[in-house]
């Protein structure tokens, strides 16, 4: 492509690695796209459309994994997410028999998303990894029965003692 002819369609930008990239200037990015990634930028994702669910998990496993009182999450169909970058997957059998597959950046170890790419039909992306934290609008809280007593739950969040069925 002749870049001189495409001036009105593309803008040249420098990324953090000082490599030249071309970004479409005349196409509005869908407001339904949620982007994010790890601390060092090696793992990135784009989630398209509205999440199937969004909330907090207060289970003991998520509390320990996050080093906090909970993990904020949003669920998307695998077909709605594009994930790039090398990850290390930690698979852990939960108390109810399910397997939790949590993916960390292979370089900085940030916790980014759940589910195995190409094997699961949905993924959870962790709210702490969003580029724009305001995109996280939690509606539910799960495993309230395991919630640490010092965690304050925002108004309007529907709480479940366990994982809701269906």
């Amino acid at each position: 492509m002749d870049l001189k002819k495409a001036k009105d369609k593309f803008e040249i930008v420098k990324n953090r690695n000082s490599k030249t990239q071309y970004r479409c200037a005349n196409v509005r990015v869908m407001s339904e796209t949620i982007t994010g990634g790890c601390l060092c930028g090696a793992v990135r994702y784009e989630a398209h459309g509205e999440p199937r669910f969004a909330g907090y998990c207060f289970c003991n496993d998520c509390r320990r994994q996050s080093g906090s009182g909970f993990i904020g999450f949003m669920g998307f169909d695998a077909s709605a997410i594009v994930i790039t970058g090398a990850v290390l997957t930690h698979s852990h059998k939960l108390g109810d028999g399910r397997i939790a597959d949590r993916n960390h950046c292979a370089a900085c170890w940030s916790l980014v998303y759940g589910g195995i790419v190409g094997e699961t039909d949905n993924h959870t992306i962790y709210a702490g990894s969003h580029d724009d934290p305001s995109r996280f609008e939690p509606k539910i809280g799960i495993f309230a029965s395991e919630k640490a007593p010092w965690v304050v739950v925002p108004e309007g969040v529907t709480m479940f003692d366990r994982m809701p069925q269906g």
Side-chain angles (χ1 to χ4, degrees):
M1 169 183 269
D2 181 4
L3 289 178
K4 288 184 180 183
K5 292 180 181 175
K7 253 187 190 175
D8 62 328
K9 295 182 182 174
F10 292 90
E11 62 181 323
I12 298 173
V13 295
K14 294 278 189 182
N15 69 14
R16 75 185 95 196
N17 297 319
S18 298
K19 294 178 182 173
T20 302
Q21 294 181 332
Y22 301 94
R23 180 172 60 206
C24 188
N26 290 337
V27 176
R28 187 165 100 28
V29 176
M30 290 177 48
S31 63
E32 295 84 22
T33 299
I34 295 173
T35 60
C38 66
L39 182 63
C40 74
V43 176
R44 299 290 304 158
Y45 60 79
E46 288 184 1
H48 302 281
E50 292 298 315
R52 292 176 43 225
F53 48 82
Y56 302 109
C57 183
F58 299 104
C59 79
N60 293 325
D61 294 306
C62 284
R63 182 173 43 80
R64 288 185 178 108
Q65 183 70 196
S66 69
S68 180
F70 53 86
I71 286 181
F73 62 88
M74 296 171 78
F76 288 89
D77 292 331
S79 61
I81 291 187
V82 176
I83 301 170
T84 59
V87 298
L88 297 173
T89 302
H90 177 255
S91 297
H92 178 72
K93 188 171 185 174
L94 302 174
D96 63 5
R98 293 176 302 120
I99 302 293
D101 297 306
R102 296 185 178 108
N103 299 281
H104 301 262
C105 170
C108 71
W109 280 82
S110 295
L111 182 61
V112 182
Y113 68 96
I116 298 175
V117 173
E119 293 184 21
T120 55
D121 57 0
N122 59 64
H123 293 285
T124 52
I125 54 175
Y126 301 121
S129 68
H130 293 357
D131 290 336
D132 179 0
S134 70
R135 300 299 303 273
F136 179 57
E137 297 177 11
K139 305 290 184 215
I140 63 171
I142 58 175
F143 293 96
S145 59
E146 298 178 32
K147 180 179 75 62
W150 44 264
V151 172
V152 177
V153 180
E155 285 186 38
V157 173
T158 303
M159 300 293 286
F160 297 91
D161 279 342
R162 295 269 166 231
M163 176 73 81
Q165 301 300 312

